[in-house]
Amino acid sequence: MEHSEQSDAAAANAALRTMKSALLIYVTEEQAAAAEFAKVLAEEQAALLAGPVLDDLPAIVDRKSALIARLSELALQRERCLQALGHGNGRAGMISAIEQDSRLTAIWEDLVRHASEARSRNVTNGMLVRTRLDYNQRALNVLRDACGIAPVAIYGPDGRMPASIR
């Protein structure tokens, strides 16, 4: 093998090791962010169940939004690494990468577990929010009825006030 072919092969191997290391770092960071996201959703659930005062909710929503952005960026970086390493996208790409680098196994399993927990908590929290909105709408309708004012939908199906009453 010629010297330039050897240096090309060495450079390609170094690039491959660098990309494998980057993938490991991104998946590790994504796993930590998913764990934090599941924790924030648990805090949100506790706040929603705590009672009528929801003072903690805006800060929780802000943290949740920041984590969603971080998770999206990390997932994008993970996908780029998988592509660069010749693996497919998504779960199939990760399984292919795990077959070549077993260090990813436990991290990926934790990430999937935290994502599943977050998905479940998010569904529950959505139901709690809808229940609160429904309760508030009914309470407002009772008050309006007592005052002789026709009931008006304060919250739309998406949980937001319609533009017509803002």
Side-chain angles (χ1 to χ4, degrees):
M1 191 184 294
E2 268 183 42
H3 177 67
S4 71
E5 288 176 0
Q6 287 176 340
S7 64
D8 288 348
N13 283 335
L16 183 63
R17 282 191 307 275
T18 299
M19 194 55 66
K20 282 184 176 182
S21 294
L23 178 61
L24 182 62
I25 289 167
Y26 288 131
V27 173
T28 301
E29 289 180 11
E30 190 177 6
Q31 181 273 335
E36 181 65 19
F37 187 63
K39 180 180 158 192
V40 169
L41 287 170
E43 291 173 21
E44 179 182 53
Q45 190 173 54
L48 289 167
L49 291 169
V53 180
L54 300 173
D55 293 339
D56 296 339
L57 212 50
I60 291 170
V61 169
D62 288 345
R63 288 176 39 219
K64 202 168 79 167
S65 296
L67 282 165
I68 289 169
R70 179 73 177 138
L71 283 164
S72 294
E73 178 59 31
L74 289 167
L76 180 64
Q77 294 299 335
R78 173 177 38 87
E79 293 296 321
R80 286 180 181 156
C81 286
L82 289 171
Q83 291 272 327
L85 290 167
H87 303 294
N89 287 331
R91 190 176 295 255
M94 275 306 299
I95 290 169
S96 176
I98 287 168
E99 289 171 357
Q100 293 181 6
D101 187 349
S102 63
R103 298 175 299 171
L104 293 164
T105 304
I107 300 164
W108 179 250
E109 288 171 354
D110 279 350
L111 172 57
V112 169
R113 182 175 49 81
H114 290 304
S116 177
E117 177 188 349
R119 191 175 306 108
S120 176
R121 286 195 184 277
N122 199 45
V123 168
T124 300
N125 291 358
M127 287 189 294
L128 290 170
V129 167
R130 280 188 295 284
T131 299
R132 278 185 173 267
L133 289 174
D134 185 52
Y135 174 81
N136 288 343
Q137 182 67 54
R138 289 172 192 239
L140 286 169
N141 288 343
V142 166
L143 292 173
R144 287 175 181 272
D145 190 44
C147 294
I149 301 170
V152 175
I154 300 295
Y155 301 110
D158 62 354
R160 299 175 192 259
M161 260 193 229
S164 63
I165 61 171
R166 280 189 212 149

